[in-house]
Each structure stands twice: as C-alpha cells, then as structure tokens.
Amino acid sequence: MPTPTDQLHPPVLPTGDYARYKIILGTLGVVVPLLVAVLFSFPNLFRIPGAQVKFLPAVNAGLNSLTAVALLTGFYFIKQKNVLAHRAAMGTAFGLGALFLLSYVAYHSQVDSTKFGGVGAARYVYFFLLLTHISLAVVTVGLVLFTLYFALTGQYTKHKAIAKWTFPVWLYVSVTGVVVYFMISPYYT
C-alpha cells in the first residue's frame, strides 16, 4: 500500500526494471575511486603541457563549502517534511559534488601533490583529517549514488535508511575538504 509520501511524491524514474540503473551506479561507485587512484599512481599519465589549473584548489574548496550548505539545507527541509525543497537542495548538492569531482580530477591530473609543511600538532591534525577525508570520500561515492538511486526509484524506506549514513559521511567529507584546503594552501607553489 502506498504511503502518503509515495502518493504525493512519485518516483522520478518511470516504474519498471531498475536493474540497469543499479549496475550503472554500482559500476560508477567502484570506477570513480579507482580512476582517482590511477591519477595518483601515474601522475604524468594525463598531463597536458602548459595547462593552467593553479586556481582550482580554491574552486574546489568553494564547491565543497557550497555542497555542505546544500546538504544542511536539504536536511533542514526534510525535517520540515518539505520533500520538494529537500529534492532541490539534495540535487544541488549532487550537482556541486559532480562539479567538484571534475575539477579535482582536472587539477590532480596536471599538478604534483603538494607536500604539507606544517610541524608539531598541526601536522598530526592535518594528516588525521586528510586520511579520514580520503577514506570516507571513497565510500561517499557509492553511498551518494545509491541514496540517489533509492530516491529516484521511489524506494523511500531504503532511501531514508541509507541516507542516515550518507548524510553525515558526505557532510564530513565536504567540510574536511575545506579544512584540509586551508591547512595546505600556504604550501602551494
């Protein structure tokens, strides 16, 4: 029996066999982190001589900041039971996250990684934040894709269950991305 939410907010994707969407999203959830790993393992593979990308870390921090705002806005709206505004905010967060990923890949395909020059406690804080940020960012890709999948296919019970994990992890990754940027930005050359 359809819930009131199902009746007011039908699935975005037409009803049918969603297996192909699961396969596409599952593949993306694995391939995207692997491609980023390839970038770091083979840093000169995609290098374009003369590419000007030094401005992108600041853009990435801005995109992460806006993503965090969109996530918090979406959370607020769903707590208010404003599903349409929630959808808009979360769609915005997804779009900003996708733009971030493209910008991140563009930057790291052209520039060697910057070494953090801080010392003492700042060094420990930086590497703790960086390691947790990277580890959770890998997981976030799959979580976000499947949270989106369940929403688009009208599987709201599953969407709500996975969103309880996706939201805090994605928010942490977005916020720590900005913090890591500000900690390492003095060392960019």
Side-chain angles (χ1 to χ4, degrees):
M1 175 161 206
T3 67
T5 300
D6 295 336
Q7 292 170 351
L8 289 173
H9 307 287
V12 174
L13 296 174
T15 305
D17 182 17
Y18 298 128
R20 70 173 178 232
Y21 296 112
K22 277 187 192 175
I23 292 168
I24 291 168
L25 295 177
T27 301
L28 284 173
V30 172
V31 168
V32 168
L34 286 176
L35 287 176
V36 172
V38 166
L39 265 177
F40 284 99
S41 300
F42 305 99
N44 294 318
L45 190 61
F46 302 105
R47 198 80 25 112
I48 300 169
Q52 300 298 315
V53 296
K54 291 191 182 249
F55 66 97
L56 288 179
V59 170
N60 293 343
L63 290 169
N64 268 331
S65 297
L66 292 171
T67 300
V69 170
L71 289 170
L72 291 168
T73 303
F75 181 76
Y76 169 80
F77 282 133
I78 202 62
K79 288 299 181 186
Q80 301 301 310
K81 302 203 183 311
N82 187 341
V83 175
L84 294 178
H86 168 75
R87 277 185 180 178
M90 300 313 284
T92 300
F94 183 80
L96 290 166
L99 286 174
F100 163 81
L101 188 57
L102 291 172
S103 178
Y104 179 87
V105 167
Y107 177 76
H108 285 285
S109 69
Q110 302 305 311
V111 178
D112 291 330
S113 292
T114 302
K115 304 293 184 219
F116 181 70
V119 295
R123 188 169 186 80
Y124 292 108
V125 169
Y126 173 79
F127 282 109
F128 173 79
L129 290 174
L130 181 64
L131 290 173
T132 57
H133 170 81
I134 291 169
S135 301
L136 291 173
V138 170
V139 175
T140 301
V141 174
L143 283 173
V144 168
L145 290 172
F146 277 95
T147 304
L148 179 64
Y149 166 79
F150 290 134
L152 293 176
T153 58
Q155 299 177 61
Y156 299 117
T157 302
K158 290 179 181 180
H159 170 76
K160 187 176 178 180
I162 194 172
K164 287 180 181 179
W165 292 95
T166 305
F167 171 73
V169 172
W170 193 3
L171 184 61
Y172 179 84
V173 168
S174 296
V175 171
T176 56
V178 176
V179 173
V180 164
Y181 164 74
F182 280 113
M183 290 183 80
I184 199 166
S185 64
Y187 306 102
Y188 285 125
T189 54

